[in-house]
Amino acid sequence: MTKLDDQYLHIFTPAGMWGDQILNLFASHYHMENMGKKGLILHTGKDLFASHHRHYAPIESDILKFWTTFDFVKGILFDVNQRTLPEDAANSNYEIFPFLDFPYDDDYKCDLANHIDFSLFPDSSLKVSGSKVAVFQPISLKNKPPLLKNDFICEWELSVNQLIAKGYTIYMIGGAEDTKDCDALYPQFSGRKQIINLMGKISMFEAIDLVMNRANFVLSCDSWSGWYGIASRVKTAFCAGPLIEDGTDKKYLNLIKNKDIFYMDYSSKKQQADTSISQWINKNA
């Protein structure tokens, strides 16, 4: 069929998985500019495929709100369902650009926070203090494959101590469902005056604002906060999980650039990764 041509780049992205959102938008923003387009049109559906758990789930309405805060997102069309993605893309009135299949410049630099209108975020009473602010997401196992969960668990003792030695106030974040895991695995972080525990106490929008607008450093497990720190050019140390380590999820890593401001090691390496990250913090934070 003949496709309509307009001034926008059209992409498909499911409205779920917060980390995927910033990766998809970061890469698509590059391609949009490189192709001389004036904005993005997001094509999506009303459910999504949770790949690690192999089932379909409803979309997250807050992600739709998040999309509308980007100055280059010009529209959202509900015409492509992930269940029937090839057929729906072929039948769409517009050419859907397959950004996952297009590598791009490893030296590309962009602060995506400059393209977000944070005033559109829900009102927040979160107070942040300290001249050097680090955001720390120690664990996130909710969407991880059950058989691989142990390899997603990071060691953090040396890295956290290095941030404290550098004079950082550390804001520890995560969902309410992560609190029990954090208490069991990292009891040494509880009650330390330099660590403010916000796990389960703030909204996703407040956490995004904290990472992209207020942090001077991000220390993250294999979860969304690492990607958002990198996308906003905040110095970031990221402990990637086994699916990136073995190449399964390499295509997602290839969506993000700003390679001059982040360091990555692998959670399966446990203390060895903690040591290398702490050394990078010592030299770069």
Side-chain angles (χ1 to χ4, degrees), residues 25-99:
L25 291 172
F26 190 95
S28 296
H29 179 262
Y30 168 85
H31 292 298
M32 177 198 83
E33 291 191 324
N34 191 51
M35 297 166 70
K37 298 293 186 177
K38 303 300 183 184
L40 291 182
I41 302 293
L42 308 184
H43 296 251
T44 194
K46 294 184 178 180
D47 63 6
L48 61 105
F49 186 62
S51 59
H52 292 166
H53 293 279
R54 314 303 296 177
H55 67 81
Y56 284 89
I59 63 171
E60 296 187 49
S61 59
D62 278 347
I63 285 177
L64 301 179
K65 297 176 186 176
F66 182 56
W67 287 347
T68 67
T69 67
F70 286 80
D71 60 12
F72 56 84
V73 173
K74 302 302 183 182
I76 302 167
L77 296 177
F78 286 88
D79 65 342
V80 180
N81 192 307
Q82 200 167 9
R83 296 173 187 265
T84 51
L85 177 55
E87 295 88 348
D88 288 356
N91 292 327
S92 173
N93 290 326
Y94 301 93
E95 193 70 44
I96 308 297
F97 179 72
F99 61 90

Side-chain angles (χ1 to χ4, degrees), residues 3-274:
K3 302 286 188 177
L4 299 175
D5 191 19
D6 61 16
Q7 61 187 321
Y8 304 122
L9 183 66
H10 293 253
I11 68 164
F12 167 76
T13 180
M17 303 298 181
W18 282 95
D20 291 358
Q21 301 309 312
I22 209 71
L23 296 175
N24 295 347
L25 291 172
F26 190 95
S28 296
H29 179 262
Y30 168 85
H31 292 298
M32 177 198 83
E33 291 191 324
N34 191 51
M35 297 166 70
K37 298 293 186 177
K38 303 300 183 184
L40 291 182
I41 302 293
L42 308 184
H43 296 251
T44 194
K46 294 184 178 180
D47 63 6
L48 61 105
F49 186 62
S51 59
H52 292 166
H53 293 279
R54 314 303 296 177
H55 67 81
Y56 284 89
I59 63 171
E60 296 187 49
S61 59
D62 278 347
I63 285 177
L64 301 179
K65 297 176 186 176
F66 182 56
W67 287 347
T68 67
T69 67
F70 286 80
D71 60 12
F72 56 84
V73 173
K74 302 302 183 182
I76 302 167
L77 296 177
F78 286 88
D79 65 342
V80 180
N81 192 307
Q82 200 167 9
R83 296 173 187 265
T84 51
L85 177 55
E87 295 88 348
D88 288 356
N91 292 327
S92 173
N93 290 326
Y94 301 93
E95 193 70 44
I96 308 297
F97 179 72
F99 61 90
L100 275 172
D101 300 331
F102 282 80
Y104 66 104
D105 184 3
D106 275 347
D107 295 325
Y108 179 62
K109 298 178 180 65
C110 176
D111 183 349
L112 217 56
N114 291 333
H115 297 280
I116 298 174
D117 185 348
F118 289 94
S119 72
L120 297 176
F121 280 26
D123 291 341
S124 170
S125 60
L126 178 64
K127 304 298 182 185
V128 177
S129 60
S131 58
K132 297 173 74 175
V133 171
V135 176
F136 173 39
Q137 186 179 8
I139 192 162
S140 178
L141 298 178
K142 178 182 176 182
N143 293 314
K144 304 301 188 289
L147 294 178
L148 295 176
K149 281 188 176 181
N150 184 63
D151 280 342
F152 278 98
I153 296 172
C154 314
E155 292 193 17
W156 294 119
E157 183 76 19
L158 297 175
S159 301
V160 168
N161 286 342
Q162 189 63 250
L163 284 172
I164 291 171
K166 287 274 191 173
Y168 280 88
T169 301
I170 299 173
Y171 289 81
M172 191 162 64
I173 64 170
E177 67 275 5
D178 302 317
T179 303
K180 184 181 293 186
D181 289 331
C182 188
D183 289 344
L185 292 165
Y186 311 113
Q188 68 271 33
F189 300 145
S190 178
R192 298 180 71 170
K193 65 178 182 179
Q194 303 95 336
I195 301 176
I196 299 168
N197 188 354
L198 297 177
M199 297 185 77
K201 299 175 183 177
I202 60 175
S203 71
M204 191 66 196
F205 284 101
E206 288 175 309
I208 291 171
D209 180 62
L210 180 61
V211 168
M212 300 188 85
N213 260 339
R214 310 197 199 186
N216 306 107
F217 195 92
V218 175
L219 179 63
S220 177
C221 64
D222 192 338
S223 192
W224 69 270
S225 64
W227 303 127
Y228 282 66
I230 296 166
S232 53
R233 293 196 58 76
V234 178
K235 287 184 178 180
T236 298
F238 180 70
C239 210
L243 296 179
I244 290 179
E245 185 177 13
D246 69 12
T248 301
D249 282 352
K250 184 180 180 181
K251 62 183 178 182
Y252 299 107
L253 178 62
N254 289 339
L255 293 175
I256 199 75
K257 302 302 176 182
N258 285 338
K259 294 192 173 184
D260 60 315
I261 54 86
F262 79 92
Y263 178 79
M264 186 179 75
D265 210 327
Y266 300 105
S267 50
S268 68
K269 293 163 62 176
K270 306 303 181 187
Q271 188 174 5
Q272 182 182 346
D274 188 24

